[in-house]
Amino acid sequence: MVRTETRAAYREAILDAATRVFGRLGFQDAKMADIAAEAGVAAGTVYNYFKNKEEVFRSILQRTHELVYQRILVHQRLEDPIERMRASTREAFDFLEEHGALFLLYVSIGGGFDWAQKRIEQALIDENHARYFALSQATLRDAVERGQLRSDLSIERLAVLLSGLTDATIFSWVRTGCPPASARKPTP
Amino acid sequence: MVRTETRAAYREAILDAATRVFGRLGFQDAKMADIAAEAGVAAGTVYNYFKNKEEVFRSILQRTHELVYQRILVHQRLEDPIERMRASTREAFDFLEEHGALFLLYVSIGGGFDWAQKRIEQALIDENHARYFALSQATLRDAVERGQLRSDLSIERLAVLLSGLTDATIFSWVRTGCPPASARKPTP
Amino acid sequence: MVRTETRAAYREAILDAATRVFGRLGFQDAKMADIAAEAGVAAGTVYNYFKNKEEVFRSILQRTHELVYQRILVHQRLEDPIERMRASTREAFDFLEEHGALFLLYVSIGGGFDWAQKRIEQALIDENHARYFALSQATLRDAVERGQLRSDLSIERLAVLLSGLTDATIFSWVRTGCPPASARKPTP
Amino acid sequence: MVRTETRAAYREAILDAATRVFGRLGFQDAKMADIAAEAGVAAGTVYNYFKNKEEVFRSILQRTHELVYQRILVHQRLEDPIERMRASTREAFDFLEEHGALFLLYVSIGGGFDWAQKRIEQALIDENHARYFALSQATLRDAVERGQLRSDLSIERLAVLLSGLTDATIFSWVRTGCPPASARKPTP
DNA sequence: CATGAATGAGGATTCATTCAT
DNA sequence: CATGAATGAATCCTCATTCAT
């Protein structure tokens, strides 16, 4: 058991380090040696936990998605769909503010910009995106059923719109540098 | 004179080739040899026209910006600001459809995701973005003066919004793969 | 500890190999691959020990200087300054016979002939030369004090003269190909 | 005839340019393009006059040797062998002062330091050196016959000695940077 | 397993030389 | 012949990955 815990600790430490390094330098410029150094382990050690650089990357992505998803999931217990939506969105933006670099990383891949990676990661991205999307659609459907939303709109299209707006905000944010002034404005 | 034309032709051919290759593989994975091969010249030849890989990239960006800007500029002659805006936006999306890969490239940099490049190109990007932005603001101001737009809104904020919406569309587009179904819908 | 020894051994092996290769081909024609091959290691390994080709070169120079200097230093214990001088000079020439190629290398730089290198190494060369020179002057001064040498001569000028003669011999030697017949003649 | 003159003029211009460039940068660092530019011709033109970089180099060497040899030859008309010797030596040093860089070049090859070149040029060097040497020996022999020199010394050895002293001076000169203070001192 | 050094494939870039105009 | 651009072989160096200790 201790062993298992130790292994897990190492793994987390490496992922943490990799997250920082990738966030700082991007995928290509981040060297395995950098990651190892940041994690305080030897270069070879990283390979005891991850097959290669790509898998380190993929693992970060997966871990992050899981984290955000879990956080958002919590808000699904809220009774009111509108509240649920609002809380989820805020959660996403809160995460953004906390983990800027990480999100950059996510976006850079999610956006499909880093081709080399895209080939490999797209499936992963899509799968996760689908999870969020399903959540979003469920909430919207709920709202329609409760009469809080017009029923003559395509749920899917609405979900796409919402997702698009979020992406747009992130995109602008990223483009302009970072702090999206209005992001934390109190919702009226 | 012939020489000058020939040189220009070579330069264009290389930029065209580079655009395709970068679009296909991204900056890092695109090899100078690939670009040369795609252009049908020897590897060394590329260096007769561009100092290095980075400059090839930068030149593509600059050339594209110029092209799009010129195209949009044409529509500025339109009397009606609203029409001007509409035409400009359509122009941008038309370009997108024609030059998908190229735009991906643009976005990948403009979004600031490819760190290594960002450091270098951001100034270029910003400068060009400012040009578009100025155009956009001028048009909006015009519209306000003509009473076609509410005058109690911040022109700058409006411009940011418009820019953001465009970016959002591109972003979603890029994310989902490519064809943004609604993009060419007849404007009502 | 073993590690440290192993590392040192590798380093020495590479320097030995580099010395041979540089001696055979000169700085420019010696390829890092040649050096690696001669040392029996992979090309990349050389870079684990030296930042680049230049540093390999510089290290050879430094190591050699140190070696010769230490050998000469031993003779400084001799009581009689004249004997000290004689022994030192012979040591230098002995070294020449043992390490012809190496000395060629040294001279080629010391003489300032390999421009590209000169820029970088001159300081190193000068510094070491100064050490020998100081030793030489000290010995001469000693000889003067003991009345073994005329006191009306400039010590510095004498040292320059001695140094010049040694250089001249080496120079002729190198020019003519190598074996300076008279070099090992028994000193009467 | 005009043609021939033109050709000769081009050839000389290129050699002059090459001399300057080689003197400035050394053989390896001097680019054919540099030489062409310095000569004010196109890169390809150089190849109309010389087979390759090496031949440019060889030609400089040959031309210089010829020049110095001819200058020294003039002094051979002097009656007194001692005067002849003195004049020749001074000629050599005068040349040195005028063409420092060129001489550096000569020495760098003559000394056999630039290996790549040495392989090729050594024969040329040796041949020319032999000419000087023959002149020197003839003069010495003459001096012996006239009773101006002890007859119990080996002429050859004397010639070697003289040559060595000259070389030594050049060597020290080159090593220390350049101006050999005493070189032009009035011979008492 | 951790370590950290060895490995070697891979790629940007340079530049002597060639050749069409 | 002069020109100057095209060529592509050649080489230094990086760094992901492997492996002996």
Side-chain angles (χ1 to χ4, degrees), chain D residues 81-153:
Chain D
I82 300 295
E83 275 312 312
R84 236 184 286 161
M85 213 71 201
R86 184 171 286 159
S88 301
T89 306
R90 183 170 301 163
E91 189 65 58
F93 283 102
D94 280 352
F95 187 84
L96 260 167
E97 289 205 314
E98 282 172 47
H99 305 82
L102 178 58
F103 219 90
L104 266 181
L105 207 57
Y106 160 68
V107 173
S108 83
I109 298 296
F113 303 131
D114 212 319
W115 287 255
Q117 299 321 305
K118 180 174 182 173
R119 286 193 301 272
I120 302 156
E121 315 304 349
Q122 199 57 54
L124 176 63
I125 303 283
D126 289 348
E127 183 192 345
N128 279 286
H129 198 266
R131 282 205 301 180
Y132 296 124
F133 207 70
L135 227 50
S136 177
Q137 279 188 293
T139 304
L140 287 172
R141 204 168 295 117
D142 207 2
V144 169
E145 277 167 20
R146 282 164 177 260
Q148 295 176 315
L149 224 53
R150 285 165 54 182
S151 60
D152 59 339
L153 296 171

Side-chain angles (χ1 to χ4, degrees), chain D residues 19 23 32 45-46 49 53-54 56 61 73 80 85 98 121 123 126 137 141 147 159 162 170 177 187:
Chain D
T19 301
M32 286 301 258
T45 302
V46 178
Y49 293 88
K53 194 177 170 184
E54 232 155 65
V56 175
L61 245 45
L73 214 49
D80 183 9
M85 213 71 201
E98 282 172 47
E121 315 304 349
D126 289 348
Q137 279 188 293
R141 204 168 295 117
L162 274 174
I170 296 169
T187 28

Side-chain angles (χ1 to χ4, degrees), chain A residues 30-32 44 47 52-53:
Chain A
K31 310 302 167 203
M32 285 302 258
Y47 286 87
N52 52 29
K53 194 177 170 182

Side-chain angles (χ1 to χ4, degrees), chain A residues 62-163:
Chain A
Q62 187 57 60
R63 188 177 72 157
T64 305
H65 271 302
E66 201 53 44
L67 180 60
V68 177
Y69 187 71
Q70 290 307 330
R71 284 217 212 165
I72 287 178
L73 215 48
V74 169
H75 304 301
Q76 303 312 305
R77 297 183 201 132
L78 288 170
E79 192 58 29
D80 182 11
I82 299 296
E83 276 311 312
R84 235 184 285 161
M85 212 69 199
R86 186 170 284 160
S88 300
T89 306
R90 184 170 299 163
E91 189 66 58
F93 284 102
D94 280 353
F95 187 85
L96 258 168
E97 289 205 315
E98 282 173 46
H99 306 83
L102 180 57
F103 220 90
L104 265 181
L105 208 56
Y106 160 68
V107 174
S108 83
I109 298 296
F113 304 132
D114 213 318
W115 289 254
Q117 298 322 304
K118 180 176 182 174
R119 286 194 301 273
I120 303 156
E121 316 303 349
Q122 199 57 53
L124 176 63
I125 303 284
D126 289 348
E127 183 192 345
N128 279 287
H129 198 264
R131 282 205 301 181
Y132 295 124
F133 207 69
L135 227 52
S136 177
Q137 278 189 294
T139 303
L140 287 172
R141 203 168 295 118
D142 208 2
V144 169
E145 277 167 21
R146 285 163 176 258
Q148 297 177 312
L149 223 52
R150 286 165 53 184
S151 61
D152 59 338
L153 295 171
S154 153
I155 294 289
E156 195 195 342
R157 185 156 297 208
L158 267 181
V160 167
L161 183 65
L162 273 174
S163 161

Side-chain angles (χ1 to χ4, degrees), chain C residues 124-188:
Chain C
L124 177 62
I125 303 283
D126 288 348
E127 185 193 344
N128 279 287
H129 197 265
R131 282 205 303 181
Y132 296 125
F133 206 71
L135 228 51
S136 177
Q137 279 188 291
T139 305
L140 288 172
R141 204 168 296 118
D142 208 2
V144 169
E145 278 167 20
R146 284 161 177 264
Q148 296 175 315
L149 223 53
R150 284 166 53 184
S151 61
D152 58 340
L153 296 173
S154 152
I155 295 289
E156 195 195 341
R157 185 156 295 209
L158 268 180
V160 168
L161 183 65
L162 273 174
S163 161
L165 285 176
T166 309
D167 285 349
T169 309
I170 295 168
F171 190 54
S172 294
W173 185 344
V174 167
R175 164 191 293 273
T176 55
C178 249
S182 57
R184 296 312 310 282
K185 280 245 196 73
T187 27

Side-chain angles (χ1 to χ4, degrees), chain C residues 7 10 42 44-45 48-49:
Chain C
R7 275 196 74 79
Y10 260 97
T45 302
N48 286 337
Y49 293 88

